[in-house]
Each structure stands twice: as C-alpha cells, then as structure tokens.
Amino acid sequence: MRRIVVKIGSSSLAGEAGGLNRDSFAYFAAEIASLHRQGVQTLLVSSGAIAAGYRAVGYETRPKLVHEKQAAAAVGQALLMQAYQEAFAPYGIAAAQILLTRPDFSQRQRALNAQRTIEELLRQGVVPIINENDTVAVDEIKFGENDSLSALVANLVKATGLYILTDIEGLFTADPRKDASAVRIDRVEVISDELYRIAGGAGSSVGTGGMRSKIEAARIAMGGGVPTFVGRSTEPGDLLAAVEGRGKGTYFAASLHSLPAKKQWIGFLSVPQGRVFVDPGAEAALLNGGRSLLPAGVTHVEGEFHPGDVVEVVGGGRTLGRGVSNYDAWQITAVAGLSSEEAARRVEVGRIEIIHRDEWVTTYVPKEAKGS
C-alpha cells in the first residue's frame, strides 16, 4: 500500500485579507479523498495556524514578534482543524490533529510514540493532520513553513513519497514571476550549492518558507530514501497526477541518498552539542575519502560535550557534517593535531577515532547541480 505525506503551506490556505480560504480546504479535501478511494494512505502536514488566527486575535497584519505569533497560533490552530474537519466530512473521513516539535523526533521514545499513534490513525482510515506546536516551540516558528517537518514525518512513517505543495510549479532556473526566460527543472538527482543559489530567498508574505526551505526538506527526505515532489496543485486531479509522476513541479530522486536509520538520526534529528574544527586534509578525508576523523586532522573544538554526543564538524569556514564523538571535548583539545600513537599515550579513550566513519553523515553539498 502506498503511503504519502502531503505538505500544504500557508499561501495555499490563507485568504487574501487574512483568515482561511474555505474553497482551498474543500479542494484539498477532495484531492485527498480521491487518493483514499485508490487505497493511498495520506498524512497531511499543514501550515496555516498563524495565518488563520492573527486576525481573530486582533492583529491587522501577520505578526512578527515571537509571542504574537504564538498567540495567533493558539487561536488559529483550532480554526485550522475546524476547517479541515468540515472539509473532509462530506467524504466520511475523520481528521486528527497531531502537534509536534523537534524533540519529538530527536528523542527515540517520543518519536516511537508519535509513529504508533499515526499508524493506528492510518489503519482506521483517519487523515492525520500534523503541525508544529507553535505555541511552545519558539525555534520551530522560524523553522521554514513546516517544510522540514514534513520531511521528518515522511522519514518517520517510511512514506513512499513526499509532496510539498506551493504556489509555484517547482524549481526554476530563475524566479518565473520576474524572469520570462526561466525554465523549470523537472528532476533533481543531487542537491547542490547551485540549487540553493537558484532557490533564492523567502516566498509569499503569509508564510515563512521559500524555495530554499523546500530544497532542504527534499534533502532530508532523500536522506531517508523518500522521493520528493515540489510543485503546484490547483486543479482537480493535480495531486493524483503528482503522485503518478505527472505533476506540475520538480521531482527529487532518492535512490542515491538513502541512509540507514541511525545515520538519519545523526544527520537530521539530533541536536549537536558542540563543534570540531578540522584542517584541509581531514576535510578531504571526510568528504571524499570515506575515512574516519583522527586526532591529527583536528585544530580545535567549541562547546562542552562527551562521548556519545553528536557534534558538528567545521572545515574551511563551513559545516561539513555531523558525527558521534568518541571523546570528551577536553580530550580532543589535548590531542588536537597529534598522531594516533601520541594521542593514545595522552588520553584514555575507547577508540582512537574522534568520529568513526560509521557514525558520520556529510551534510555539506557540492557546488555543481545535477538536474534536468
């Protein structure tokens, strides 16, 4: 059975003067009901709580201060769920609300609890509607319009596809709203610096996520082996067409990027406790040589961390990736730049590698793009 995650942003749900566009809810409910009839299990990651609630709170425009956003979300979340429940009711489909924050993914037991709840809802034919808990998750309000959340959910439930719906028909070589010569990139095999440059800045005024955050979400999903679609769905049948590979947007492949569960956690779900800085030789060994990080390649560290903690590795002024440290921070400082033999004489550790290659995930992306 196919299982997909559909992410809908604020720009697709908000009315022109604030509040919610009920016609949009009716459209998306019909699209998802059509998929249900074909046996496709569908999870919905929905933005829109702040957009739904800020007028009701009394703000004339979308708020910018964190506590104002939280107040708007507290009111808007109820309005958002009411709109979804009313939209799905004609099809006999129940809608369930699930509010998540990043710790729900970074802590294994909480992630497992969320996964079990979602599995049961899907088994009962319910559509889980997932949103970040904006009223308590300060950092997540800045997280990128729930794009990364949708990718984390897709990996969590082992989805067969992630469909990020937006107001533009995918990724273009330039902004199609400003450049008539812009050409859509139909398929991306490898995410690169060039793609991030093409993506530019933020999108519409009602949301927080532009195309850059959608590319980042695709990268996270690809790391979990989940192919991703970023594009538009505005006409009847558009979502089904996207699921069948005929969508109005860009498809991101997953075959080259799948990571085992442990490395997914290291790369995308963990919270780094410090940073390790390396020289050019160690950088090349990590990025291109498939090697472990040894004391000789380290220059210095930042932060206080211990064996088993995840740390970021920095080289050449950029973050290269994340890995599980086998050392305390003070131990790395004591052996930085030394040979493995000398390091073993200086400190007592379980293994000489500061980060073993089996517990390393590269997050740095190359400059050249591969797309078509």
Side-chain angles (χ1 to χ4, degrees), residues 134-171:
D134 290 337
T135 58
V136 298
V138 175
D139 290 339
E140 278 70 16
I141 287 182
K142 306 173 185 178
F143 203 40
E145 186 63 355
N146 280 348
D147 294 321
S148 293
L149 172 62
S150 69
L152 296 176
V153 169
N155 288 350
L156 178 69
V157 302
K158 300 176 176 59
T160 56
L162 169 62
Y163 300 84
I164 301 177
L165 306 183
T166 183
D167 52 2
I168 298 178
E169 293 185 359
L171 179 64

Side-chain angles (χ1 to χ4, degrees), residues 11 36 60 78 117 121 126 147 213 268 347:
S11 62
H36 261 229
E60 293 185 2
T117 300
L121 291 170
V126 176
D147 294 321
S213 72
F268 306 116
V347 298

Side-chain angles (χ1 to χ4, degrees), residues 13-325:
L13 299 173
E16 293 183 3
L20 299 173
N21 183 338
R22 294 304 180 106
D23 290 340
S24 294
F25 283 82
Y27 165 74
F28 287 117
E31 293 291 284
I32 291 171
S34 175
L35 292 174
H36 261 229
R37 288 192 292 271
Q38 299 193 35
V40 180
Q41 292 181 333
T42 306
L43 297 84
L44 193 56
V45 175
S46 177
S47 301
I50 295 174
Y54 77 82
R55 288 282 188 183
V57 173
Y59 304 124
E60 293 185 2
T61 59
R62 182 186 172 93
K64 294 181 171 59
L65 299 178
V66 170
H67 67 277
E68 294 176 344
K69 292 179 180 180
Q70 290 174 322
V75 173
Q77 190 62 47
L79 298 174
L80 188 70
M81 282 306 303
Q82 180 184 29
Y84 274 120
Q85 288 167 342
E86 292 176 356
F88 280 113
Y91 306 100
I93 298 175
Q97 174 180 260
I98 299 177
L99 298 178
L100 298 174
T101 58
R102 182 170 283 277
D104 294 318
F105 294 94
S106 62
Q107 297 179 20
R108 185 175 181 276
Q109 188 58 51
R110 291 169 68 167
L112 185 59
N113 290 341
Q115 182 183 26
R116 287 171 175 168
T117 300
I118 291 170
E119 291 284 351
E120 178 60 18
L121 291 170
L122 292 174
R123 191 176 73 85
Q124 297 294 342
V126 176
V127 174
I129 298 177
I130 301 166
N131 198 353
E132 287 186 294
N133 193 350
D134 290 337
T135 58
V136 298
V138 175
D139 290 339
E140 278 70 16
I141 287 182
K142 306 173 185 178
F143 203 40
E145 186 63 355
N146 280 348
D147 294 321
S148 293
L149 172 62
S150 69
L152 296 176
V153 169
N155 288 350
L156 178 69
V157 302
K158 300 176 176 59
T160 56
L162 169 62
Y163 300 84
I164 301 177
L165 306 183
T166 183
D167 52 2
I168 298 178
E169 293 185 359
L171 179 64
F172 285 74
T173 54
D175 189 339
R177 296 168 295 192
K178 300 177 182 178
D179 188 344
S181 65
V183 177
R184 187 172 72 200
I185 301 171
D186 291 328
R187 185 174 176 85
V188 172
E189 298 288 345
V190 175
I191 292 177
S192 66
D193 275 351
E194 182 182 348
L195 285 182
Y196 282 106
R197 179 189 59 78
I198 290 172
S204 63
S205 62
V206 297
T208 59
M211 192 57 71
R212 287 181 66 90
S213 72
K214 291 164 179 54
I215 292 175
E216 177 63 16
R219 186 174 72 90
I220 294 171
M222 292 162 79
V226 180
T228 302
F229 169 84
V230 177
R232 197 170 184 178
S233 178
T234 55
E235 301 293 331
D238 277 355
L239 183 54
L240 176 60
V243 172
E244 293 179 343
R246 302 177 287 105
K248 302 173 182 176
T250 300
Y251 287 89
F252 293 79
S255 58
L256 301 178
H257 294 265
S258 182
L259 295 173
K262 184 175 181 180
K263 288 201 171 188
Q264 288 182 46
W265 179 81
I266 293 171
F268 306 116
L269 303 179
S270 63
V271 178
Q273 301 301 306
R275 298 203 294 174
V276 177
F277 293 78
V278 300
D279 63 24
E283 177 183 332
L286 288 169
L287 296 183
N288 304 316
R291 307 288 293 278
S292 299
L293 177 61
L294 298 174
V298 175
T299 60
H300 65 286
V301 302
E302 287 183 356
E304 293 292 332
F305 51 88
H306 307 285
D309 287 342
V310 174
V311 295
E312 287 185 333
V313 175
V314 180
R318 62 187 187 273
T319 300
L320 306 178
R322 294 180 181 180
V324 178
S325 175

